[in-house]
Amino acid sequence: MTQQYKHILVPVDGSKEAELAFRKAVAVAKRNDGAELHLLHVIDTRAFQNISNFDNAMVEQVTETAKKTLDRYVEEAKNDGLENIAYSIEYGTPKAVISQDVPKELHTDLIMIGATGLNAVERLLIGSVTEYVTRTATCDVLVVRTSLENN
């Protein structure tokens, strides 16, 4: 018997790595009959903590940009034949939201996440979200490094 995934989570942030994860996740969801693909964008609220003139317009602008990107992804997935697709925009620390909070809420059984775009020094100083998710998630995690053609 082969493993069937029913609730696939794909964090997207506009990066090339996230785009590769999205494309492969659509293919995996189509192969897993009835699977739901859930796209997630996390707005890191820590980025706004040091802004002295913080105002809600900044958050709204970031949210609107994320919504446009997610709407485009949903349209692409539907054009590719996937019907069961949803998304959410969350606020908080990406590491915790992606690895714990949302998977628990959605009963996620697979997280497909793009490989980090950070270099070795950046990973050492701030840590990779991808690395954190692979260590702490309670479900399967697939780190996507290549395109659909595996290159």
Side-chain angles (χ1 to χ4, degrees), residues 95 113 116 123 127-136:
K95 290 177 179 180
I113 190 167
T116 181
R123 279 194 305 276
S128 160
V129 171
T130 300
E131 187 271 334
Y132 184 86
V133 171
T134 60
R135 273 191 306 107
T136 63

Side-chain angles (χ1 to χ4, degrees), residues 17-147:
E17 293 82 10
E19 178 88 18
L20 294 174
F22 163 73
R23 300 236 178 271
K24 281 200 174 176
V26 169
V28 169
K30 287 171 54 179
R31 285 194 304 264
N32 285 263
D33 191 39
E36 177 191 29
L37 181 62
H38 191 94
L39 306 176
L40 171 65
H41 182 87
V42 181
I43 296 175
D44 191 344
T45 53
R46 297 171 303 171
F48 298 105
Q49 289 177 351
N50 295 330
I51 299 173
S52 58
N53 293 332
F54 175 80
D55 89 54
N56 287 337
M58 295 171 83
V59 175
E60 289 172 12
Q61 183 178 8
V62 172
T63 301
E64 190 57 35
T65 300
K67 186 178 179 326
K68 287 177 184 174
T69 300
L70 291 164
D71 285 338
R72 180 177 56 83
Y73 280 145
V74 167
E75 186 68 27
E76 287 179 29
K78 287 183 177 181
N79 288 341
D80 200 22
L82 189 63
E83 294 179 19
N84 200 0
I85 183 165
Y87 73 75
S88 60
I89 299 171
E90 300 291 333
Y91 303 86
T93 305
K95 290 177 179 180
V97 172
I98 294 167
S99 66
Q100 304 296 319
D101 301 345
V102 171
K104 185 177 185 180
E105 177 185 325
L106 298 177
H107 307 288
T108 300
D109 49 11
L110 176 64
I111 299 172
M112 293 183 68
I113 190 167
T116 181
L118 302 177
N119 65 37
V121 173
E122 291 169 323
R123 279 194 305 276
L124 178 65
L125 294 176
I126 63 174
S128 160
V129 171
T130 300
E131 187 271 334
Y132 184 86
V133 171
T134 60
R135 273 191 306 107
T136 63
T138 58
C139 63
D140 289 348
V141 177
L142 175 63
V143 178
V144 177
R145 299 180 187 282
T146 60
S147 68

